[in-house]
Amino acid sequence: MKNFGLDIWSNKNFIIEDGQLKLNYKSMPSLLEIVEEIRADDVRGPILLRFPHLIKRQITSLYSYFDKAMKENLYEGSFNAVFPLKVNQFPHAVEAVTSQGKDFNYGLEAGSKAELILAMSKTPYGANITVNGFKDKEMITLGFIAAQSGHNITITIEGIGELETIIEVAQECNLKVPNIGIRVRLHSAGSGIWAKSGGMDAKFGLTSTEIIETIRLLREQDLLQHLRMVHFHIGSQMSDIAPLKRALREAGNIYAELKRMGASALDSINIGGGLAVEYDQHTQSKARNYSIEEFSNSVVFALKEIMNAKNVKHPDIFTESGRFIVASHAVLITPVLELFTHDYQEHLLDFKEVNPPLIEELIDLNKLLNNKNCTEYLHDALDHMESILTLFDLGYIDLQDRSNAEILVHNIIKKALYLNPTDELDQLHVRLQERYLINASIFQSLPDYWGLDQNFPVMPLHHLNSTPIRAASLWDITCDSDGEIGFKPDRPLYLHDVNLDEEEYFLGFFNVGAYQETLGMNHNLFTHPSEYTVHINDTSYEIKNAIESKNILDILESIGYSKSEILNNLKSDLLKSDFITEQEKDDTLAKLETFLEQNGYLRTTN
Ligand SMILES: *Cc1c(COP(=O)(O)O)cnc(C)c1O
């Protein structure tokens, strides 16, 4: 596990070179040098790095595979993509998508009023906007305003009620009518933990009867020429391609039927999102059983077959891939603040003139341990430790003896693991795992780990030419016991043994660019990490769009407290206190104000 599964999850976006983890692009900076440059400005706490070139890479790959599939299949429709804002609405993520997707006319998808407003203000002219989710009259009116303002917008109806509202708005105002799409309720469901979006009991979509009724209503209202799109979405992180193929056959046939029923303006099929991302660090390709190539081929081939059989013009294909486009672009970097067994250092040993015999034996075991005897000596040491603890409980040895024994045994274990990292010691690894305290909140930065047990690849930025041997569990700084990524013997994480008094140690969490930021919560009032966009060029790189994590007063204000009231309370309490001089009060006040202007993460040396 020396390369931390880089070959499995990183898609060659990162490589290890000279013991450093580097971006595999242009000037190839190391993550560590970027982090050090940011921290040189006194930034503390977790850091989120965005790499727009990784979004470009995903967009380009999506387009080129569809392009290839369309050419090979003599497909006559076009390929179009929109980015679903719910996956990451943060300004610099959206900006990266729209700027990197510019050459492809990349559009945006909105699922709520606020997202729609965002899409209306950020979608370049000519690019598509699609609108999904439940809508009221206001939201539908917004769709009309967007169309009137020149946007290429398609409102997908999720039920007959929404169609009736569209008809109402069209009758009440003179604004341009947006394109209308219908979300179909498929009987074929998706796979994976997010599969609830498909199937007959799905939350969204029209049944066949409702589709027929929709056509009747549109025709009656003279709006049928606005029906442009058939839409489905079978759920996120699709692990298996088979349900997609079934969904395509179903939706494709619905499309062809509608054309035959006279929906002559209908010209596109929107296949939603669902393209999966590899989060696994251990076994090759567990997340999905298909490649992007197979995915695009399947879509194009299925639609071509159906349309050719029914003699219908090939529809334009729309995709709303979110996770696939942005997951890889963001990396979370967390400083390690502490290793919990760090205190077991040999220089803290303090022997007596005469030590208890068991301690003398531990001293010998520690001294004489080698790769031939290490397993045996380790067992002896563990056995002695049990006895020493019993003797301590019975009052026969004192705290100093116990401390010496703990340090010695700890060192024996460490040496034995170095000398003989075999399977036999695996069980021991689990028992002797090191706990690494990270300056971050799992609730804020990896909420899907907390809520869905979703793994994210994690690896250190240092020592990458030496094999890590410490079984690691990661603790965050929230005071919630769920804020922990435990050691899992079936997916073990090993990290390095570092002395944080002498060096820094940073961990990178990868593929965190989709959903994590928007779902992240301010548990314990830890807010979004400080974030930076890194543009890499041929000779170096540029750090832009710095947004430091919210300061303490702003965090409190954001949930409704008055900054000035808090500040005044703190000041007046301090000023009326006794026993320190006015000067000391002033100095303390100045200190307090500095604290309040810093972010809420820890500021020990790391
Ligand atoms: C969430 C969602 C998407 C994005 O799905 P990903 O799995 O992130 O690609 C696309 N379309 C719709 C309608 C969605 O609800």
Side-chain angles (χ1 to χ4, degrees):
M1 244 277 286
K2 195 166 160 185
N3 72 353
F4 295 91
L6 211 58
D7 51 328
I8 299 170
W9 57 265
S10 95
N11 198 17
K12 300 198 173 73
N13 289 332
F14 300 91
I15 56 163
I16 295 173
E17 208 179 71
D18 310 326
Q20 296 262 25
L21 184 60
K22 296 182 171 176
L23 280 122
N24 189 14
Y25 185 65
K26 293 192 173 172
S27 58
M28 299 179 62
S30 75
L31 278 173
L32 189 58
E33 65 179 297
I34 297 171
V35 168
E36 280 173 346
E37 181 174 337
I38 290 167
R39 286 170 52 93
D41 276 344
D42 200 34
V43 172
R44 291 297 176 268
I47 290 173
L48 187 94
L49 299 176
R50 298 189 196 284
F51 296 103
H53 75 276
L54 295 180
I55 291 183
K56 177 77 166 243
R57 184 164 183 219
Q58 295 305 93
I59 292 179
T60 310
S61 135
L62 188 64
Y63 268 84
S64 56
Y65 280 113
F66 267 96
D67 197 41
K68 187 161 164 264
M70 285 179 161
K71 283 203 178 101
E72 281 169 11
N73 284 286
L74 303 176
Y75 196 86
E76 284 152 15
S78 66
F79 179 71
N80 309 266
V82 292
F83 172 70
L85 285 167
K86 76 159 191 276
V87 182
N88 195 331
Q89 307 96 342
F90 276 66
H92 298 306
V94 173
E95 182 192 302
V97 172
T98 51
S99 63
Q100 301 299 315
K102 210 159 146 212
D103 298 343
F104 301 93
N105 228 0
Y106 220 92
L108 296 173
E109 183 265 0
S112 66
K113 281 186 233 182
E115 286 182 3
L116 178 52
I117 293 293
L118 186 56
M120 286 163 69
S121 77
K122 292 291 173 192
T123 311
Y125 263 130
N128 296 291
I129 298 178
T130 60
V131 188
N132 300 306
F134 295 110
K135 304 160 205 77
D136 61 3
K137 191 169 175 185
E138 261 181 38
M139 187 158 167
I140 283 171
T141 307
L142 283 173
F144 278 67
I145 295 173
Q148 180 66 34
S149 312
H151 281 298
N152 209 350
I153 181 169
T154 305
I155 299 202
T156 297
I157 56 170
E158 313 276 357
I160 292 280
E162 291 182 2
L163 176 63
E164 285 163 352
T165 314
I166 290 183
I167 292 169
E168 218 178 291
V169 177
Q171 282 167 349
E172 282 171 16
C173 71
N174 255 333
L175 299 172
K176 195 168 172 228
V177 182
N179 300 329
I180 299 170
I182 49 174
R183 179 154 179 177
V184 295
R185 180 172 300 224
L186 304 173
H187 68 73
S188 48
S191 65
I193 27 179
W194 288 276
K196 286 191 284 291
S197 313
M200 286 310 276
D201 53 353
K203 193 168 151 194
F204 301 106
L206 281 73
T207 61
S208 339
T209 317
E210 288 169 326
I211 293 172
I212 295 171
E213 176 67 1
T214 299
I215 301 293
R216 193 189 63 76
L217 275 172
L218 285 170
R219 183 175 280 133
E220 187 182 288
Q221 298 294 325
D222 201 20
L223 289 170
L224 194 54
Q225 74 276 20
H226 298 288
L227 178 64
R228 298 284 294 277
M229 183 182 279
V230 164
H231 175 246
F232 70 89
H233 168 64
I234 64 173
S236 205
Q237 188 68 353
M238 190 176 70
S239 53
D240 183 2
I241 190 101
L244 175 76
K245 292 186 178 180
R246 286 197 292 276
L248 280 163
R249 282 197 290 276
E250 199 179 342
N253 277 298
I254 292 172
Y255 178 92
E257 289 293 310
L258 291 177
K259 290 293 277 188
R260 295 216 294 209
M261 286 166 69
S264 56
L266 192 63
D267 60 3
S268 15
I269 284 200
N270 183 338
I271 62 168
L275 253 177
V277 163
E278 190 56 73
Y279 293 103
D280 209 285
Q281 211 168 353
H282 293 90
T283 28
Q284 193 81 40
S285 281
K286 248 184 154 176
R288 54 179 199 197
N289 69 353
Y290 57 91
S291 63
I292 168 80
E293 183 163 20
E294 182 181 352
F295 174 83
S296 44
N297 272 329
S298 305
V299 173
V300 172
F301 181 79
L303 294 179
K304 178 194 79 170
E305 291 279 292
I306 295 163
M307 303 309 150
N308 287 358
K310 295 206 162 171
N311 202 15
V312 169
K313 187 170 179 286
H314 299 167
D316 294 338
I317 298 171
F318 279 68
T319 157
E320 295 173 335
S321 252
R323 187 187 296 276
F324 176 81
I325 296 299
V326 293
S328 62
H329 97 283
V331 180
L332 175 77
I333 310 284
T334 68
V336 173
L337 294 171
E338 201 175 321
L339 270 60
F340 282 81
T341 56
H342 172 66
D343 292 335
Y344 297 129
Q345 292 179 32
E346 277 184 90
H347 71 85
L348 296 172
L349 285 168
D350 188 5
F351 294 120
K352 300 174 177 164
E353 287 282 296
V354 182
N355 295 297
L358 280 173
I359 302 267
E360 289 297 342
E361 283 189 39
L362 284 177
I363 294 172
D364 285 345
L365 290 173
N366 187 35
K367 210 182 307 174
L368 301 173
L369 189 86
N370 62 36
N371 54 2
K372 288 214 181 69
N373 63 22
C374 66
T375 311
E376 187 192 333
Y377 278 27
L378 177 63
H379 292 156
D380 287 349
L382 292 173
D383 197 40
H384 290 352
M385 190 68 219
E386 292 283 328
S387 311
I388 286 168
L389 289 173
T390 309
L391 289 175
F392 178 78
D393 290 347
L394 295 172
Y396 291 120
I397 64 164
D398 65 15
L399 198 58
Q400 185 60 55
D401 292 327
R402 179 174 163 174
S403 157
N404 289 338
E406 284 175 359
I407 296 173
L408 284 166
V409 171
H410 188 82
N411 276 285
I412 291 167
I413 292 166
K414 253 173 107 164
K415 283 186 199 163
L417 293 184
Y418 267 116
L419 291 170
N420 187 18
T422 58
D423 289 350
E424 207 225 311
L425 296 181
D426 263 8
Q427 282 308 91
L428 216 52
H429 273 304
V430 180
R431 264 182 54 208
L432 302 172
Q433 57 186 273
E434 178 59 283
R435 295 179 301 257
Y436 292 72
L437 181 69
I438 55 172
N439 200 1
S441 154
I442 289 169
F443 301 88
Q444 172 59 239
S445 294
L446 305 167
D448 277 350
Y449 180 81
W450 168 72
L452 295 166
D453 228 359
Q454 172 66 61
N455 269 292
F456 293 89
V458 50
M459 66 182 287
L461 308 189
H462 318 247
H463 298 297
L464 295 173
N465 40 22
S466 71
T467 307
I469 57 135
R470 298 294 285 172
S473 59
L474 309 177
W475 286 18
D476 77 2
I477 52 168
T478 66
C479 56
D480 190 314
S481 53
D482 279 345
E484 183 197 351
I485 299 181
F487 180 78
K488 299 183 193 70
D490 55 334
R491 294 174 167 184
L493 173 68
Y494 294 101
L495 294 175
H496 299 94
D497 220 334
V498 284
N499 182 352
L500 293 171
D501 291 337
E502 282 159 20
E503 60 174 325
E504 294 180 313
Y505 196 63
F506 297 105
L507 298 180
F509 293 82
F510 296 82
N511 287 343
V512 299
Y515 298 102
Q516 303 318 296
E517 291 178 66
T518 60
L519 293 175
M521 59 202 111
N522 294 355
H523 194 20
N524 265 161
L525 298 183
F526 289 113
T527 60
H528 193 267
S530 302
E531 64 158 273
Y532 305 84
T533 304
V534 186
H535 292 276
I536 300 173
N537 53 42
D538 289 329
T539 51
S540 73
Y541 63 89
E542 264 181 290
I543 298 174
K544 291 189 173 161
N545 304 337
I547 305 181
E548 213 191 316
S549 190
K550 266 207 191 96
N551 77 35
I552 291 173
L553 278 181
D554 288 341
I555 300 166
L556 293 169
E557 192 182 41
S558 72
I559 56 167
Y561 291 98
S562 151
K563 268 201 224 186
S564 53
E565 191 192 324
I566 286 178
L567 212 50
N568 288 340
N569 287 352
L570 295 185
K571 273 188 190 167
S572 70
D573 288 349
L574 181 67
L575 290 176
K576 63 179 191 255
S577 67
D578 302 328
F579 303 122
I580 58 172
T581 64
E582 290 306 307
Q583 183 59 47
E584 282 169 323
K585 283 182 183 175
D586 284 349
D587 293 348
T588 310
L589 270 184
K591 204 183 271 175
L592 185 60
E593 281 177 11
T594 323
F595 293 169
L596 296 176
E597 279 163 16
Q598 288 166 349
N599 73 47
Y601 289 97
L602 298 189
R603 291 186 69 84
T604 53
T605 48
N606 282 325

